Amino acid sequence: MSRTLILIITVLAVGSSASSVWAAGESMRENTGMEMGSGVNHGAMPGMDHGKNSGMAMGKMQGGSAPDDARDPHAYSGGLDFAPMRPYLADESNFGSLLVDRLEAVRNSGDNSMAYDMQAWFGRDFNRAVLKLEGEYADGAFEEVSTELLWGHAVATFWDLQLGLRHDSGAGSDQSWLAFGFQGLAPYWFELDVTAYLGEGGRSALGFEAEYELLFTQKLILQPRLEMAVYGKESPELALGSGLSDMTAGLRLRYEIRREFAPYIGIERAVQFGDTKDYARIAGQSQSDTRFVAGVRFWF
C-alpha cells in the first residue's frame, strides 16, 4: 500500500469521528438544553430549576420545631446505656497529695531548732479535706504547734475557700479556733493563704502568708516568703498583744533534684511588734531575730 493511499484513509477516518462528535453534541443540546463549551444551563434542564416554581426550591436549612418523631439526641439508644463501661471523668475520682514545704534546721543566736510546715489534702477537684501542720521543735519539746483540719471548696480557677478548725498547742495553754479563709494563686503568680480565726472569749486573729517562686533555671529556684499574724484582742496569758503581732520575711534557694524533691538553704528575719514585743522584752526574750535555715522540700 502506497503512502498516498494511507494518508487518504486517515483523513477520511478523522472526518468521520468529528462528524459523530458534532452530531452527538447537537442531539444533547436539543434534548437537555446543555450548551457545549458554555457551562450548564440549569434553567433549561427539567427538574433542575432552583427557582420558586420548581420542586427543588431551597428552603430554610436550620431552626424551627423538631418533627414529632424526632429522636432525643441525649437519650440512651434503645434503652441501653454504657454500664458497666460508663466513662468516668477526672473530677469523679478521689486524689490525694502531701506537700512538705519546709522541713528545716534553724540556727539563730547560738540556738538550734527544727521547724516544719506541711499540707496534705484528699478529695476531688471541687471538694476536699485539707490538713495543715506547722510548728517548731527545740530543747526536746514542740513549740507553737498549729494543726488545722479544713474543708476546701473550689470557688474559682486556682482559688479554694476553706472552712474548719485550728488547734494550737506547745507554748502556753492550748487554744482552739474556728477557721475561715481562702488559698490560691493570685495574679502575677503569688501564692496566698489568708485565714481568719475566731476563738473562745471573743478572741480573733488573722493569718497571712505569701510566697513567690523566681526561677533562675528550671531547677534552681529562689522563693521569697512573707508571713504575719494579727490579733484582735490582747491575751496576756499567751504574751500576745492586739494588732500586728509578728512578721517573718525570708528567702530560700532550692535546687530541684527532681520536681518532687529539693534541698534548700535560706535566711529569714522575724520581728515582733506592739504589746507582743513588750511581753517578749519583759520575759528577757529577743524581739527580733535573724535565722539561717537549711532543709528539704518534697511532695508526692
Side-chain angles (χ1 to χ4, degrees):
M1 185 177 295
S2 64
R3 293 184 178 179
T4 304
L5 181 57
I6 294 173
L7 179 61
I8 293 172
I9 293 174
T10 303
V11 171
L12 291 176
V14 171
S16 176
S17 300
S19 299
S20 299
V21 172
W22 179 82
E26 286 296 315
S27 176
M28 181 179 294
R29 182 175 61 183
E30 292 175 356
N31 296 331
T32 65
M34 296 176 63
E35 295 290 345
M36 301 296 292
S38 60
V40 178
N41 184 1
H42 289 191
M45 298 178 64
M48 294 296 291
D49 186 0
H50 291 181
K52 62 181 180 180
N53 295 326
S54 72
M56 296 187 64
M58 301 298 290
K60 189 176 182 180
M61 300 300 293
Q62 294 182 346
S65 302
D68 296 336
D69 58 346
R71 176 182 154 193
D72 183 2
H74 302 294
Y76 291 127
S77 177
L80 301 176
D81 55 25
F82 290 101
M85 299 178 60
R86 191 180 77 84
Y88 284 90
L89 303 179
D91 60 358
E92 296 181 272
S93 300
N94 291 319
F95 296 95
S97 178
L98 171 65
L99 167 64
V100 180
D101 194 33
R102 293 184 295 134
L103 181 60
E104 60 193 21
V106 182
R107 181 172 179 80
N108 61 323
S109 304
D111 297 330
N112 297 321
S113 61
M114 297 289 296
Y116 62 90
D117 181 5
M118 59 186 70
Q119 178 174 326
W121 62 265
F122 180 81
R124 301 183 178 182
D125 289 349
F126 289 92
N127 296 284
R128 59 183 59 176
V130 181
L131 178 64
K132 298 180 181 178
L133 303 172
E134 185 174 359
E136 296 180 5
Y137 183 83
D139 299 328
F142 285 97
E143 298 178 352
E144 301 181 359
V145 176
S146 171
T147 305
E148 295 183 67
L149 181 59
L150 307 169
W151 164 65
H153 178 70
V155 294
T157 305
F158 305 125
W159 288 101
D160 282 2
L161 188 68
Q162 296 178 337
L163 175 66
L165 299 173
R166 167 182 164 180
H167 183 75
D168 294 342
S169 60
S173 58
D174 294 355
Q175 299 182 83
S176 296
W177 307 81
L178 177 64
F180 176 80
F182 58 87
Q183 182 177 7
L185 188 64
Y188 301 100
W189 307 101
F190 284 93
E191 294 185 12
L192 295 180
D193 186 357
V194 182
T195 308
Y197 302 97
L198 292 177
E200 298 177 355
R203 291 179 292 111
S204 60
L206 177 69
F208 175 88
E209 183 176 329
E211 293 181 353
Y212 186 78
E213 293 188 345
L214 181 61
L215 276 66
F216 294 132
T217 68
Q218 292 296 321
K219 292 180 176 290
L220 189 62
I221 301 170
L222 181 65
Q223 182 189 58
R225 180 174 180 273
L226 177 66
E227 182 178 4
M228 63 180 66
V230 179
Y231 293 92
K233 185 177 181 180
E234 186 174 3
S235 301
E237 69 278 11
L238 299 175
L240 294 174
S242 59
L244 180 61
S245 172
D246 58 84
M247 181 172 65
T248 303
L251 293 171
R252 287 171 174 79
L253 180 65
R254 71 172 186 262
Y255 183 81
E256 293 187 343
I257 299 174
R258 295 176 57 88
R259 294 284 296 174
E260 298 87 354
F261 183 82
Y264 65 82
I265 57 173
I267 184 173
E268 66 180 15
R269 178 75 173 173
V271 182
Q272 295 178 327
F273 302 93
D275 293 339
T276 303
K277 181 179 178 180
D278 296 336
Y279 284 123
R281 185 177 62 254
I282 295 172
Q285 299 174 349
S286 174
Q287 300 94 54
S288 61
D289 206 1
T290 300
R291 306 165 181 168
F292 297 94
V293 301
V296 293
R297 179 185 188 270
F298 60 93
W299 60 271
F300 56 86

